[in-house]
Amino acid sequence: MSKTVELINLFALLSLLAVGGGTAVLPQMKYDTVYLHHMISAAQFTEIYSLGQLAPGPNMMCVILIGYHVSGWLGALAVLFAFFLPNTLLCYFVSQIWDVAAGSPWRDAVQRGMAPIVIGLMLAGCYALGKTASYNPSRDWEFNALTLAIGVAVVVVLSLTRMNPALTILAGGVAGYFLLP
Amino acid sequence: MSEAALSERVTLGQIFWVFARIGATSFGGGVVAYLQHSLVEKEKWLTADEFMGDLEIAQTLPGLNSTNMSVIVGRKLRGPLGAVAALLGMILPGAAIVMALGFAYVRFRHNPNIALALAGVAAAAVGVLLHVTLKIGWKNLIRLKDLIFVALVFVLVGIFHISLLVTIVSLAPLAIWMNRPVTADRGRHE
């Protein structure tokens, strides 16, 4: 039970800190669940996040798998509520009174000011995942060269074509299955 | 279209199913594009301008754009229950699919070939995230005033694991102030 409470506290805070979308909390989520609370391993975190990218719907739905891993169905449900309820409640009430701020020049200032912070957090998220998924010192150079190449190939393909990102992730899985040593 | 006229037409069941269809089909992220197509073009529940106005709120407030949009649009259509119907529709299909993937993962992760496929999936997922980051953030990366904040946040959170709360509370006011409206500044001096 105390583990479930820990989950609720952790994900409810992340819920309210999810500025500019769910991926902004990725670095903190990995640090907290892996290194601070030892709920899952770094490899599991990365794999769970990656699996989540194959599913439709809201980004970061993968969080419920962390909850399930820690304390079963109760944990999954607890994380679902903790991660999605605080920010949606906030949104429900603030959006009702939003018109008060309509036309305020400060809205633009908030958006332009927060943008680089969100990008910094997303880059930190790339780094947190990449440390495990793209360049992992515990693997040999051949393996790392291939995982790095897969990541770069995905960036190039998505920049040049309109391919669905979920398909590039599936393609990465196929490439891993056949190519990785 | 007035909200009163809409609420007579749209039932809670309709709201749930329209959002559930989006929640079940929006593979590969970018839920906003699916929402726009369904709500504005197909169902015509919102005009394009209303959609953009709601999206601005959804993006500014904390939380995911997809769930925030569900709450805002659901509330406009049918009040609190509409918001709940839209939110559940958006969340449930993805949650069910994620759980199914999770069970498959637990079942097969120790198979060495599947482990390699998972390593490939993870390596590709990093690429997807990096691409999105560069796509929406390239403007911030070439603007020195913004780049300082990008770098600072990356180092604080990514390298030194300073808490997100501390980072946002200390840097956001500064970043917003640096982008303060010209008129507000002028008003102060006049």
Side-chain angles (χ1 to χ4, degrees), chain B residues 10 28 63 73 117 130 156 175 184:
Chain B
V10 183
V73 176
L130 184 60
L156 288 177

Side-chain angles (χ1 to χ4, degrees), chain A residues 18 28 47 50 57 59 107 111, chain B residues 26 56 60 63-64 105 122 164:
Chain A
Q28 169 115 37
E47 285 167 1
S50 312
N59 201 1
R107 261 164 68 174
Q111 276 181 342
Chain B
S26 51
E56 193 188 319
T60 309
L64 285 67
Y105 162 76
L164 198 49

Side-chain angles (χ1 to χ4, degrees), chain A residues 14 21-35 45 49 60 117-129 131, chain B residues 129 153-154 156-159 161-164:
Chain A
L14 291 176
T23 36
V25 297
L26 196 57
Q28 169 115 37
M29 191 187 291
K30 182 178 178 187
Y31 183 74
D32 285 354
T33 56
V34 175
Y35 304 107
F45 183 91
Y49 170 80
M60 304 304 292
I117 293 177
V118 172
I119 297 304
L121 290 172
M122 289 175 75
L123 281 179
C126 292
Y127 177 67
L129 290 177
K131 269 194 298 191
Chain B
L129 182 58
V153 169
F154 177 83
L156 288 177
V157 177
I159 312 278
H161 305 296
I162 304 293
S163 99
L164 198 49

Side-chain angles (χ1 to χ4, degrees), chain A:
Chain A
M1 196 63 208
S2 68
K3 275 182 172 177
T4 309
V5 173
E6 208 170 68
L7 278 173
I8 292 172
N9 290 339
L10 205 161
F11 281 95
L13 181 62
L14 291 176
S15 171
L16 291 172
L17 292 176
V19 290
T23 36
V25 297
L26 196 57
Q28 169 115 37
M29 191 187 291
K30 182 178 178 187
Y31 183 74
D32 285 354
T33 56
V34 175
Y35 304 107
L36 207 58
H37 295 290
H38 305 286
M39 292 171 170
I40 51 175
S41 73
Q44 282 172 328
F45 183 91
T46 307
E47 285 167 1
I48 283 175
Y49 170 80
S50 312
L51 281 177
Q53 299 307 299
L54 290 172
N59 201 1
M60 304 304 292
M61 187 55 85
C62 60
V63 292
I64 62 176
L65 290 179
I66 300 175
Y68 185 83
H69 181 84
V70 170
S71 54
W73 285 106
L74 180 67
L77 209 60
V79 168
L80 188 69
F81 274 95
F83 192 64
F84 288 101
L85 201 58
N87 54 31
T88 46
L89 273 178
L90 181 76
C91 180
Y92 182 88
F93 290 110
V94 174
S95 66
Q96 279 183 310
I97 54 164
W98 185 262
D99 290 344
V100 176
S104 162
W106 282 96
R107 261 164 68 174
D108 195 41
V110 170
Q111 276 181 342
R112 277 189 293 147
M114 290 307 287
I117 293 177
V118 172
I119 297 304
L121 290 172
M122 289 175 75
L123 281 179
C126 292
Y127 177 67
L129 290 177
K131 269 194 298 191
T132 314
S134 307
Y135 185 85
N136 190 333
S138 66
R139 296 178 186 144
D140 60 33
W141 70 270
E142 216 180 336
F143 199 102
N144 282 325
L146 266 161
T147 47
L148 277 171
I150 289 173
V152 171
V154 167
V155 173
V156 171
V157 166
L158 289 176
S159 304
L160 299 179
T161 71
R162 294 176 62 96
M163 191 190 260
N164 187 312
L167 286 180
T168 64
I169 292 178
L170 276 181
V174 173
Y177 187 88
F178 288 108
L179 299 178
L180 285 176

Side-chain angles (χ1 to χ4, degrees), chain A residues 18-25 49 59 111-124 126 155 158-159 165, chain B residues 28-32 55 59 63 65 127-143 146-147 150:
Chain A
V19 290
T23 36
V25 297
Y49 170 80
N59 201 1
Q111 276 181 342
R112 277 189 293 147
M114 290 307 287
I117 293 177
V118 172
I119 297 304
L121 290 172
M122 289 175 75
L123 281 179
C126 292
V155 173
L158 289 176
S159 304
Chain B
V31 182
V32 168
L55 184 62
Q59 287 176 330
N65 294 336
V128 170
L129 182 58
L130 184 60
H131 169 255
V132 172
T133 309
L134 296 177
K135 195 172 99 179
I136 65 174
W138 68 270
K139 281 182 203 143
N140 306 113
L141 293 170
I142 57 170
R143 203 168 155 235
D146 286 353
L147 184 61
V150 173

Side-chain angles (χ1 to χ4, degrees), chain B residues 3-78:
Chain B
E3 285 176 28
L6 263 176
S7 59
E8 282 167 26
R9 243 178 358 107
V10 183
T11 68
L12 289 177
Q14 281 174 309
I15 295 175
F16 177 81
W17 283 114
V18 164
F19 280 88
R21 204 170 54 217
I22 301 166
T25 54
S26 51
F27 286 94
V31 182
V32 168
Y34 289 87
L35 280 166
Q36 210 270 347
H37 177 75
S38 264
L39 301 175
V40 178
E41 287 162 34
K42 217 166 143 199
E43 308 294 337
K44 303 197 192 314
W45 285 348
L46 300 172
T47 66
D49 283 347
E50 286 171 330
F51 183 86
M52 290 311 290
D54 292 344
L55 184 62
E56 193 188 319
I57 305 175
Q59 287 176 330
T60 309
L61 294 176
L64 285 67
N65 294 336
S66 53
T67 51
N68 280 356
M69 277 301 275
S70 307
V71 167
I72 295 171
V73 176
R75 176 178 64 75
K76 280 191 168 177
L77 294 171
R78 282 301 298 261

